[in-house]
Amino acid sequence: MITQRMERVNLILKHKSFMAYVHAIKACENKRIYCKHNMSHFMDVARLTYLKILTAEISLDQSIIYAAALLHDIGKFQQYKESIPHEKASAQLAPAILKDCGYTNAEIKLIVQMIRYHRGFTLDVDDTNAPISAETKRIIALFQEADKQSRMCFACNAHSTCNWPNEKKNLEIIL
Ligand SMILES: [Fe+2]
């Protein structure tokens, strides 16, 4: 069972589209001095989210958390090239990869919601006007926190010119 779960995550890692998107983002961020959207960020978000989910005693398969973290920024190249908000672009690109990697429709729905709303969540309904469950909102809130806290502004040479407002920056370690 554990092997199967790990296999799904590693299938994403080796998926042709995933690799192509990571490559496209890398090309767009080649000269970027601010936070990058790379494997290191995806893994930080995965590990932090997992810790938060464990601490909150929420039952959620680790391979769902890792899938959401690996794919949450995957559409960033479309934001650079076509000004499409990357949470929307990523939510559109993710399902095909998740399907190929053996995730069920229900799992894909949750992962896509995590991706779609990872930059902010104020709605009680999703884009299709369907209600979002309280449990899903709790998971999304922890995922948002992990994404923000993964950024080490306190150790970043570019933080003084970064467009994140000061109150949003992680200028200290947050426990
Ligand atoms: Fe992110």
Side-chain angles (χ1 to χ4, degrees):
M1 190 65 178
I2 288 172
T3 312
Q4 273 179 2
R5 285 191 284 139
M6 288 309 297
E7 269 171 15
R8 300 202 299 182
V9 173
N10 283 295
L11 284 175
I12 296 175
L13 206 57
K14 293 169 198 155
H15 193 283
K16 265 189 182 167
S17 299
F18 176 76
M19 291 195 293
Y21 303 150
V22 170
H23 188 76
I25 297 167
K26 192 176 178 183
C28 293
E29 295 188 337
N30 195 21
K31 297 204 167 100
R32 184 177 165 88
I33 59 168
Y34 303 108
C35 290
K36 298 197 177 189
H37 301 80
N38 54 17
M39 280 308 304
S40 163
H41 172 59
F42 304 157
M43 291 304 288
D44 284 344
V45 175
R47 291 163 175 151
L48 266 174
T49 304
Y50 184 48
L51 286 174
K52 287 176 183 293
I53 292 286
L54 286 179
T55 306
E57 297 183 350
I58 296 172
S59 168
L60 184 64
D61 192 292
Q62 204 175 351
S63 68
I64 290 177
I65 298 168
Y66 273 65
L70 285 173
L71 298 171
H72 79 285
D73 283 336
I74 206 70
K76 190 76 183 177
F77 68 98
Q78 290 189 344
Q79 185 167 328
Y80 291 125
K81 290 183 176 173
E82 299 159 55
S83 301
I84 302 170
H86 75 266
E87 69 278 18
K88 284 189 181 171
S90 305
Q92 277 172 3
L93 296 173
I97 297 175
L98 291 164
K99 215 172 171 93
D100 287 349
C101 297
Y103 287 83
T104 66
N105 287 340
E107 289 171 331
I108 293 173
K109 186 179 172 195
L110 172 59
I111 294 165
V112 169
Q113 283 181 318
M114 291 169 73
I115 295 171
R116 172 66 185 86
Y117 302 112
H118 82 267
R119 291 179 80 192
F121 188 75
T122 52
L123 304 172
D124 285 326
V125 291
D126 66 14
D127 290 340
T128 65
N129 244 0
I132 295 175
S133 73
E135 182 76 345
T136 300
K137 280 201 255 185
R138 260 181 99 200
I139 292 168
I140 293 170
L142 295 176
F143 190 55
Q144 287 175 4
E145 266 181 32
D147 187 33
K148 290 198 185 87
Q149 288 177 11
S150 71
R151 299 306 195 180
M152 296 198 297
C153 310
F154 54 82
C156 173
N157 289 331
H159 81 79
S160 60
T161 55
C162 164
N163 68 6
W164 264 21
N166 264 345
E167 60 274 14
K168 203 175 159 192
K169 285 175 190 160
N170 302 311
L171 298 173
E172 294 179 325
I173 295 171
I174 300 156
L175 299 179

